[in-house]
Amino acid sequence: MPDVVLPSTARLLLARTARVQREGRAPSLVAGVVRDGGLAWSAGRGDVPEPHTDVQYRLGSISKTVTAVAVMRLRDEGRVHLDDPLDRHVPGTPLGDRTVGQLLAHVAGAAAESPGSWWERAPGGTLGDLRLGAEHVVLGAARRFHYSNLGFGLLGELVARLRGRSWEDVVRTEVLEPLGMPRTTPRPVAPAAEGRAVHPWADVVLPEPEHDAGVMAAAGQLWATLADLGRFAAFLLGDTGDVLAPATLEEMTVPAGVDSSAPGWAAYGLGLQVLRVDGRTLVGHGGSMPGFLAGVFVDREERTGAVSLANTTAGLDPLVPGLLADLRAAEPRVVEPWTPSAPPVPLEALGIWFWGPGPHALRALPGGLLHLGPLPGRAGRASRFAPGDDGTWVGLDGYYAGEPLRIAEDHLDVGTFVFTRTPYDPDAPVPGGVDEAGWRA
């Protein structure tokens, strides 16, 4: 069972939640923080029955992350590859040459919405009913990020066709049930909040419609309780069980097309939003449907998460990042003690190496990794490296992501960049050679 937060922390979290609900005029709002595998604190505000943790709200686009998990399970089984064109698995669409990975990362150039009536407020049908045409390809492949509900509708169709079952059945049996999320369903099951729109100039509400979105369900159909969404936050923190390999989840969190070393950015991985907020990297997804707003984000370094659900169409200030900041400030994580460990390479290979005249340090990291980067206060490129299968090391992030590192006695070779023990060592294989006259005044 997760440890509960301190009373003073609970007061802080409740005050923020109450303020967001009141100032945002949400008919009801439930929120919680996740630590040690489950909800460590939660509260309900407004017209929400108890237990507030068991009332369903619509998740909206958080459904996309569940769909992405189902796709990545197929990838891990070898049934699909991220570089596969969509046409290989779902033939006959105008996006047939776009890849599965591009659809997952919203860089396939697909139209934001499906054709016809706005799918979020109108019943849906089959893929054929959409009558997709060339006009629903709005950008070139991998040209830029363009959020696409249509793209995830197509991914849901891919999941259904490869499994030979409906998208709803696949995500229930392969993701939701194994994770222990029994109150997450495609349609509301009481007790469930009713979707509401709040008038902008008066304190009156209007019911919003609810329906089966058909092929677009994979983009936003699911409903869940706060307890279930808290379990999903624990999944995003690494408690993946038998649903997904931890390495696959890590892959999903890597931003696509964004330099994540920059101090502030927002990006998208594979079915996951990745945000840089106040120096912290948050991973998860937001959701909105007519009548509902939702959010689940985790700080994987701090090992905490936060979740929120509300039955209002618009107008709420972001709550989840603030809850995470409050929890981190009030109860910062106490890290594990440092202990000695054997380096993954001989000690002689570690220490100072020079790329040209620039000094860099190669050092061992916990978990059998290496880090190569400039000395403190100096500019340069830095990356972590993991051992490869052929005796080389493979870059995990930064400029050298995916690039091989080869360690020799007198030099390092990182994707043709040669680092030497002294600046431009004439005895090492420096590309282009070293001037025979050497350094001079």
Side-chain angles (χ1 to χ4, degrees), residues 15-300:
R16 179 183 291 274
T17 300
R19 185 167 57 251
V20 167
Q21 184 268 338
R22 181 177 179 84
E23 294 178 358
R25 298 188 303 145
S28 71
L29 183 152
V30 294
V33 297
V34 174
R35 188 172 60 188
D36 301 323
L39 287 171
W41 170 87
S42 69
R45 301 294 294 182
D47 183 19
V48 53
E50 293 294 342
H52 60 268
T53 56
D54 192 45
V55 180
Q56 280 192 334
Y57 291 75
R58 200 163 187 180
L59 293 182
S61 289
I62 298 172
S63 305
K64 291 182 174 67
T65 305
V66 177
T67 299
V69 170
V71 173
M72 295 305 287
R73 283 175 56 86
L74 287 164
R75 195 289 303 270
D76 286 355
E77 294 172 15
R79 301 280 303 276
V80 68
H81 297 88
L82 296 184
D83 291 334
D84 285 352
L86 178 65
D87 214 39
R88 184 172 301 173
H89 306 288
V90 184
T93 78
L95 289 149
D97 63 336
R98 308 303 161 93
T99 71
V100 174
Q102 289 168 353
L103 289 166
L104 284 168
H106 295 291
V107 292
E113 309 298 341
S114 55
S117 297
W118 184 25
W119 69 274
E120 294 184 1
R121 287 182 59 89
T126 66
L127 176 59
D129 293 334
L130 295 182
R131 301 181 183 274
L132 296 178
E135 67 273 20
H136 302 116
V137 182
V138 298
L139 291 169
R143 178 65 182 86
R144 57 176 291 182
F145 173 83
H146 182 64
Y147 194 87
S148 175
N149 287 296
L150 173 60
F152 268 79
L154 294 172
L155 289 171
E157 183 74 9
L158 177 149
V159 167
R161 293 192 184 190
L162 288 180
R163 290 299 190 202
R165 294 178 284 139
S166 67
W167 167 83
E168 293 90 343
D169 186 53
V170 173
V171 298
R172 176 179 58 82
T173 59
E174 295 192 12
V175 183
L176 304 175
E177 288 182 351
L179 287 180
M181 298 172 62
R183 290 275 289 140
T184 303
T185 56
R187 303 293 294 280
V189 178
E194 295 183 348
R196 293 285 184 265
V198 180
H199 196 282
W201 318 126
D203 292 333
V204 293
V205 300
L206 183 74
E208 291 273 27
E210 186 279 325
H211 55 262
D212 186 343
V215 71
M216 293 301 294
Q221 182 76 36
L222 292 175
W223 294 64
T225 64
L226 192 69
D228 276 16
L229 194 55
R231 174 63 186 96
F232 198 64
F235 167 81
L236 296 177
L237 286 168
D239 185 6
T240 58
D242 296 327
V243 170
L244 211 60
T248 301
L249 175 61
E250 184 71 23
E251 183 181 358
M252 294 174 68
T253 70
V254 176
V258 170
D259 179 5
S260 57
S261 65
W265 44 266
Y268 207 91
L270 298 175
L272 282 169
Q273 293 174 320
V274 189
L275 314 177
R276 191 70 172 173
V277 180
D278 295 330
R280 312 296 299 186
T281 301
L282 307 183
V283 174
H285 216 294
S288 67
M289 289 292 282
F292 293 95
L293 294 171
V296 53
F297 281 91
V298 300
D299 183 332
R300 288 164 60 82

